[in-house]
Amino acid sequence: MTPEDTATLAAPKLASLTILGGRDKGGALETLDLTLRPGDVVCVVGPTGSGKSRLLADIECLAQADTPSGRRILVDGAPPDARRRWATVGKLVAQLSQNMNFVVDLPVAEFVAMHADCRMVADGDRVVADVIACANALAGERFHADVSLTQLSGGQTRALMIADTALLSASPVVLIDEIENAGIDRKRALDLLVSQDKITLVSTHDPILALLGHRRIVVANGSVADVIETSAEETESRAHLERIDAVLMALRQHVRGGGRIEALPAAFSTFASAMATDEPFPWTR
């Protein structure tokens, strides 16, 4: 490793990330000039196949009109130089994809310790313990530090990588593709990333998660169709949705533990009855 590479192991500095529009699947121009700053949480929504993953991929590679979308990504208001764009260490962007599987048969603690050593962090044992404790707080099922990486479930793997990215990764930009499919505590995961002052973009189909972001990017036909600021009314709606979701989560845990569901909780039963109507939902009117 060269002295220059060693220097990039320090957290890369980033004041802003700007996404400039390219074109949609039909070649029409995309009107987009969106600047994100540390601490921003932006959710990316749209139908399957609309181009959400393409948008995340453009950001990951710091595209310069050289991808199918034709988008350009600016770093602190300017195109990144080649060294920063193609860096193998000290990367600006970390991406957690939908499907993550380890092929290295190492204990979890040893794997995290290796990353801590690469980052040259002080008090490595404490940091390793913090990452594993954090991952267990996110995961639906706890795991031990000495378990093999290859024995982790998909949700446990994603929880570990989110914790590792938040507490050990130097990348100031984090991209997550469909976090709701991992079976983890999505709100706690986002809170963790925000607390580390990272720019976080999350592709999602989940309404609660979409409303957890400060903004959401709406993608259609390979293009950004809209950028919506989360309103106070939506935040209030999210609080109601979270209470409903908490009931569903408790029911899931009950079933996972071998329980039966022969009667719904009273509050949920009342809500279900109110929704059992042919009337359109109020937000579709």
Side-chain angles (χ1 to χ4, degrees):
M1 182 176 295
T2 67
E4 291 78 10
D5 285 338
T6 301
T8 62
L9 285 172
K13 302 298 182 183
L14 179 68
S16 68
L17 188 81
T18 301
I19 310 169
L20 299 179
R23 53 188 175 270
D24 68 12
K25 293 179 180 180
L29 291 179
E30 176 184 45
T31 304
L32 179 64
D33 185 346
L34 176 64
T35 296
L36 308 177
R37 303 186 188 281
D40 282 350
V41 175
V42 179
C43 292
V44 183
V45 301
T48 298
S50 60
K52 300 187 299 298
S53 294
R54 175 70 266 163
L55 175 60
L56 295 185
D58 287 343
I59 296 169
E60 183 184 24
C61 74
L62 301 177
Q64 296 300 307
D66 52 4
T67 68
S69 73
R71 293 190 183 101
R72 292 187 294 128
I73 308 298
L74 305 183
V75 175
D76 295 337
D81 60 32
R83 182 168 172 271
R84 170 168 262 192
R85 186 179 181 191
W86 307 115
T88 55
V89 292
K91 292 174 67 68
L92 283 175
V93 183
Q95 180 164 15
L96 306 180
S97 64
Q98 291 186 50
N99 301 308
M100 302 186 69
N101 295 293
F102 288 108
V103 295
V104 179
D105 192 16
L106 289 175
V108 169
E110 186 175 338
F111 168 78
V112 179
M114 287 175 62
H115 190 192
D117 287 342
C118 289
R119 298 245 58 85
M120 297 184 290
V121 300
D123 197 5
D125 289 343
R126 179 189 60 78
V127 173
V128 169
D130 286 348
V131 169
I132 295 172
C134 181
N136 275 318
L138 299 177
E141 182 75 19
R142 296 180 63 85
F143 55 88
H144 296 289
D146 58 357
V147 70
S148 170
L149 291 170
T150 57
Q151 292 180 307
L152 296 179
S153 69
Q156 289 171 328
T157 298
R158 190 82 76 93
L160 177 61
M161 294 314 299
I162 288 173
D164 183 271
T165 298
L167 301 181
L168 268 177
S169 174
S171 300
V173 182
V174 178
L175 313 176
I176 307 177
D177 206 354
E178 299 193 17
I179 193 173
E180 66 267 24
N181 292 340
I184 66 174
D185 188 328
R186 54 199 186 278
K187 183 177 187 303
R188 186 177 290 186
L190 288 186
D191 287 345
L192 173 65
L193 293 165
V194 171
S195 71
Q196 302 300 310
D197 215 24
K198 295 179 183 288
I199 295 173
T200 305
L201 291 99
V202 184
S203 168
T204 185
H205 295 284
D206 181 88
I208 295 176
L209 188 54
L211 297 183
L212 279 170
H214 305 129
R215 284 173 281 184
R216 59 187 181 273
I217 296 173
V218 182
V219 182
N221 193 36
S223 174
V224 172
D226 201 0
V227 178
I228 302 173
E229 297 279 344
T230 302
S231 66
E233 291 79 8
E234 287 184 316
T235 299
E236 184 177 346
S237 295
R238 190 196 80 210
H240 293 299
L241 290 172
E242 285 176 336
R243 286 192 285 273
I244 296 169
D245 190 58
V247 175
L248 287 171
M249 181 60 72
L251 290 171
R252 290 189 194 103
Q253 291 297 102
H254 183 64
V255 169
R256 287 169 179 164
R260 294 177 178 272
I261 302 177
E262 295 174 337
L264 291 173
F268 189 73
S269 182
T270 300
F271 172 80
S273 297
M275 291 294 99
T277 173
D278 291 331
E279 289 293 316
F281 290 116
W283 57 81
T284 64
R285 293 172 181 166

